[in-house]
């Protein structure tokens, strides 16, 4: 039996038979790993608190034929504030889900691990989670090689931004008015929205809530990133859709 240690963030989990759970972990050392935590659903399990989604945990894993298994684990950071607030829990679930869908098993990237860990820490303290999550989305797609082009038209190369910019998910960036494709979903992206998106990439994640952004530009960025990520992942974000439904119900 081969044992190995990893430092990991629990992306998600689902219950198996006999009180077991299958965990999806993003580890610093080995990238994405799936492992079984035996008996962890039982109230008496000592591992229970350290294997919840969003936890930052040290694991001792045992290699298995199909799935590895959790031999030991000790939580480093549990992030209780994320579970106490529906908005924060939804944003955290969106972020961990993105990392799960956009990364392959067994391909470590310490920058992605550090980005996700930073996000969870910032979410617990931020007053503007919407702006923080947009920054996270941009940084994550950049690390994965999908950074949207924001310096000119992706089609003709015309220098931008001007007053009438559009964002094309399929083109991966801005397009000018003359290069728009009839019948294809493209989204207005004003000069302010372009500037804010660049700032979200340049500023530290913990400081982006200081960026001044109008409601109009914020709405444009939200729509652009929602549609771009939908195009990349071929699905909408379940946690964010749920959050929007709750907000609509309250209003």
């Amino acid at each position: 039996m081969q044992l190995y240690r990893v430092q990991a963030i629990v992306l998600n989990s689902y219950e198996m038979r006999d009180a077991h759970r299958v965990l999806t972990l993003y580890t610093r050392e080995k990238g994405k790993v799936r492992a079984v935590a035996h008996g962890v659903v039982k109230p008496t399990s000592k591992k229970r608190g350290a294997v919840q989604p969003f936890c930052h945990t040290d694991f001792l894993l045992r290699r298995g034929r199909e799935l590895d298994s959790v031999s030991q684990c000790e939580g480093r950071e549990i992030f209780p504030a994320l579970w106490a607030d529906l908005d924060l829990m939804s944003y955290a679930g969106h972020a961990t889900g993105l990392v799960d869908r956009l990364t392959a098993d067994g391909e470590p990237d310490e920058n992605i691990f550090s980005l996700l860990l930073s996000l969870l820490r910032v979410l617990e303290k931020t007053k503007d989670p919407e702006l923080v999550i947009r920054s996270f989305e941009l940084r994550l797609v950049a690390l994965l090689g999908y950074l949207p082009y924001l310096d000119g038209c992706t089609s003709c190369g015309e220098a931008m931004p001007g007053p009438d910019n559009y964002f094309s998910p399929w083109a991966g960036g801005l397009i000018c008015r003359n290069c728009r494709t009839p019948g294809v979903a493209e989204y207005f992206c004003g000069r302010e929205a372009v500037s804010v998106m660049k700032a979200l990439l340049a500023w530290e994640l913990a400081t982006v809530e200081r960026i001044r952004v109008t409601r109009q530009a914020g709405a444009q960025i939200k729509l652009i990133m929602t549609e771009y990520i939908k195009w990349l992942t071929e699905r909408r974000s379940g946690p964010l859709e749920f959050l929007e439904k709750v907000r609509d119900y309250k209003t």
Side-chain angles (χ1 to χ4, degrees), residues 186-217:
E186 295 160 345
Y187 306 94
F188 184 78
C189 184
R191 185 181 281 114
E192 181 190 354
V194 176
S195 297
V196 171
M197 290 172 75
K198 289 181 177 180
L200 291 175
L201 282 163
W203 290 36
E204 292 294 328
L205 195 64
T207 64
V208 296
E209 66 178 355
R210 301 177 192 169
I211 298 172
R212 301 282 185 177
V213 55
T214 63
R215 182 176 298 181
Q216 183 180 32

Side-chain angles (χ1 to χ4, degrees), residues 40-53:
V40 76
V41 177
K42 296 177 181 178
T44 56
S45 174
K46 295 181 180 179
K47 301 174 185 175
R48 189 173 184 178
V51 300
Q52 301 300 314

Side-chain angles (χ1 to χ4, degrees), residues 112-125:
I112 292 177
F113 179 89
S114 298
L115 175 65
L116 181 56
L117 183 57
S118 295
L119 174 79
L120 297 175
R121 289 170 174 167
V122 171
L123 278 179
E124 280 217 314
K125 302 175 182 178

Side-chain angles (χ1 to χ4, degrees), residues 138 146-154 158-162 165-168 172-175 189-191 193-201 221 224-225 228:
L138 280 164
Y146 305 117
L147 176 66
Y149 185 63
L150 302 174
D151 291 324
C153 177
T154 58
E158 179 184 351
M160 297 169 71
N165 314 295
Y166 294 84
F167 187 91
S168 170
L174 297 178
I175 56 171
C189 184
R191 185 181 281 114
V194 176
S195 297
V196 171
M197 290 172 75
K198 289 181 177 180
L200 291 175
L201 282 163
I221 295 169
I224 285 166
M225 292 309 300
Y228 188 44

Side-chain angles (χ1 to χ4, degrees), residues 22-118:
V22 175
L23 312 177
T24 303
L25 311 174
Y26 197 83
T27 74
R28 184 187 293 274
E29 298 83 358
K30 298 184 178 296
K32 194 166 65 179
V33 173
R34 304 182 197 278
V36 180
H38 294 284
V40 76
V41 177
K42 296 177 181 178
T44 56
S45 174
K46 295 181 180 179
K47 301 174 185 175
R48 189 173 184 178
V51 300
Q52 301 300 314
F54 320 143
C55 286
H56 176 207
T57 300
D58 288 324
F59 286 93
L60 179 64
L61 301 179
R62 179 184 294 110
R63 295 193 185 279
R65 184 173 299 176
E66 295 182 0
L67 285 173
D68 296 349
S69 60
V70 177
S71 180
Q72 297 176 14
C73 59
E74 182 177 356
R76 288 188 175 210
E77 298 170 90
I78 308 300
F79 303 112
L82 302 183
W83 290 99
D85 184 284
L86 179 61
D87 285 23
L88 297 181
M89 182 172 63
S90 298
Y91 287 126
H94 168 64
T96 54
L98 274 184
V99 172
D100 189 9
R101 291 194 297 275
L102 291 173
T103 60
D105 292 356
E107 295 184 2
D109 188 320
E110 190 165 343
N111 290 324
I112 292 177
F113 179 89
S114 298
L115 175 65
L116 181 56
L117 183 57
S118 295

